[in-house]
Amino acid sequence: MPRKPSKRHRSFLGSRPFQPVSLRTKLLVGFSVVFTLVFSGAFYWFYSFTTEKVIARLRSDMLATLTGASQGVDVPDLMALYQDGVRNEEGFSDDPRYLELLSWFNTVNNIEPRAWLYTYAIGTAKNNRRVGPSAVHPNELEIIYLVDVWALHDPDKAAHFLEPDEAGIAARRVHLGDTFESDIYKDKWGTWMSAFAPLKNQKGEVVAVLGLDIEASYVRQLQAAIRQRFVIAYVVTYGVFFALIYLLSGMMTRHLRELTRSAEHISAGDYRRSVPIERQSHFPDELDRLAQVFEEMVESIRIREQLIREGKRAQNEMQSALQEERELNELKSRFISMISHELRTPLTVIRTSLELLERYGHVASAEQQQKYYQRSRNAVETMSQLIDDVLMIGKGEADGLEFTPTRMDVRQFCRELSAEIRQSMGNSHVLVFSSTGWYGEAYFDPKLLRSILNNLLSNAVKYSPAGSRIDFTLCCQDEMATFEVRDAGIGIPMDDQPRLFEMFHRASNVNAIRGTGLGLAIVRQCVVLHGGTITFSSQEGKGTCFTVALPILLELPQHQTLEQSV
């Protein structure tokens, strides 16, 4: 019968946060990543190369069109139009020279629909003729728009006659006599790719510029068309390559998958399902030989693992029994030591008091006799409290403690308990009780609550210096009663805090202060029975604060009500 997978095997097979990735998947992913990087790089290079060639051809066409268009521009007439032309109401001009040049630009546009021609004069702002204020400072270079072919097609995209503008890089370059081609840019009329040619007067001075614009949307259409063709080629080639890799990886990893499945069954303890020899190839290779060796190892591994498992089980049982016995002996030793120590002191007090009364009672004053009697009573109360603590711990360990809630005024209960503590400690400490929040009657177990608060307050008195203040606070709000006991005592070392609620454990700095190490263990059991929580904060040498939060029950749970009625 196959055994259950061991913890080590389960962690390998099913407990990992990530499932193992098959070799076939790794091959697919690896080749796909490499192919993606290589082909994407090639795609980007071809795309960039093709785009550059197309744009270069477009620039060549722009320059050829610009050169041809400049032949039809009469520079003297253009400058005469600039000097004495008049703008009409639409922002253009009805001057025959303006209309003649506008007609020539439109003829070029009909031949080459991509080309949008315009021209402008260029010079220093203080010497320019314009309509409206100057666009730059008087000594800076400024352009004045003259004729724009957009006036016939879309006036909103056309520059107005004698409209001023700042001379950009292109205008400055052309003003020096160079032909200039710009990259794609954006202005207030749209987004363009442009070319500019200088127009010179008879002295050879650049007095105007002929510009040719091509809308950027046309350039983007060319780029999109190139991208679309490359993407189609990329997807088709990628799909063919992926299918090929998928088939080849399946053929390469089939034998490895069979060996892996067999190894998984064996690691889980199922030795009956190993390498299927009958499915091995008629032409054996290294993997088939490996499968045969694997089968021969299975039986020896199974026998050896069974022996090891049986020996391990026996060893674990012995170690567990030994550990339980060691812990029980340690607990017994600590219990006997504690009981012996805690009972010896009050018994010594009682014996001493009785001997003094027996020998000197006839000569001792009434006050001295009462003092000896009170010492004996205190010793008896100490032994009684110790027995009660031991019995309560025993009941708690045996699930014998019961939660018996009674309707009570918790604030009055705390006041009475504070008065009892003050009376018992005399003038050795200052106990201050305060309360806030809503107060009325609610259901608590008075016996358990007394045990909780009495232990916390007694510890605060025991581990605080004489004359120090102890604050006892009660706060009832948000359906929780919170009890806080704060002292300025010796505090709890950091190393002892994790074990503070263990039975018989006492902090390392208590020195000669008497105690059993049962009080806080009892407190925790009582808090748990109330369905509450207990926390503390402490700093060695500066004091400790314990906080107990118990739910306020305004009504008894249904099952407890039924039990009481029965």
Side-chain angles (χ1 to χ4, degrees), residues 362-395:
H362 60 286
V363 295
S365 64
E367 183 180 353
Q368 289 178 331
Q369 291 179 6
Q370 186 62 32
K371 180 179 179 181
Y372 296 145
Y373 288 138
Q374 185 61 40
R375 287 179 179 177
S376 299
R377 292 191 195 98
N378 292 341
V380 171
E381 289 178 1
T382 299
M383 289 189 295
S384 178
Q385 183 62 44
L386 175 60
I387 293 173
D388 289 341
D389 289 346
V390 172
L391 290 177
M392 183 169 287
I393 285 292
K395 287 183 179 180

Side-chain angles (χ1 to χ4, degrees), residues 450-502:
R450 174 177 289 274
S451 183
I452 293 171
L453 299 178
N454 188 58
N455 273 291
L456 293 179
L457 291 170
S458 298
N459 283 349
V461 172
K462 183 189 302 183
Y463 298 113
S464 299
S468 64
R469 171 171 169 159
I470 297 171
D471 291 306
F472 176 26
T473 305
L474 169 64
C475 178
C476 293
Q477 63 181 7
D478 299 331
E479 301 182 353
M480 295 294 290
T482 304
F483 307 85
E484 184 177 281
V485 177
R486 183 183 298 273
D487 64 59
I490 62 176
I492 305 168
M494 289 297 297
D495 293 340
D496 293 309
Q497 292 184 13
R499 302 183 57 195
L500 192 62
F501 295 102
E502 294 182 8

Side-chain angles (χ1 to χ4, degrees), residues 1-6 9 266-271 301-317:
M1 197 174 172
R3 65 176 177 86
K4 291 176 65 178
S6 66
H9 293 151
I266 293 171
S267 67
D270 186 2
Y271 294 96
I301 293 175
R302 184 186 64 80
I303 296 174
R304 185 179 304 172
E305 186 172 335
Q306 183 177 358
L307 295 174
I308 294 174
R309 187 168 60 252
E310 292 175 355
K312 187 68 174 178
R313 185 186 302 113
Q315 182 181 0
N316 290 339
E317 291 176 354

Side-chain angles (χ1 to χ4, degrees), residues 206-273:
V206 177
V207 293
V209 175
L210 178 64
L212 185 150
D213 289 344
I214 292 181
E215 290 186 286
S217 59
Y218 174 76
V219 179
R220 295 194 178 100
Q221 288 175 2
L222 291 177
Q223 293 175 335
I226 296 171
R227 280 197 304 270
Q228 183 179 6
R229 295 194 177 187
F230 273 99
V231 166
I232 294 174
Y234 179 84
V235 171
V236 172
T237 307
Y238 194 91
V240 172
F241 177 82
F242 189 85
L244 181 62
I245 293 299
Y246 183 82
L247 295 175
L248 291 177
S249 62
M251 296 173 60
M252 294 171 59
T253 59
R254 180 172 60 86
H255 290 298
L256 289 177
R257 289 199 304 273
E258 292 175 353
L259 283 173
T260 301
R261 283 195 296 268
S262 298
E264 289 176 352
H265 290 304
I266 293 171
S267 67
D270 186 2
Y271 294 96
R272 297 174 301 175
R273 301 178 63 179

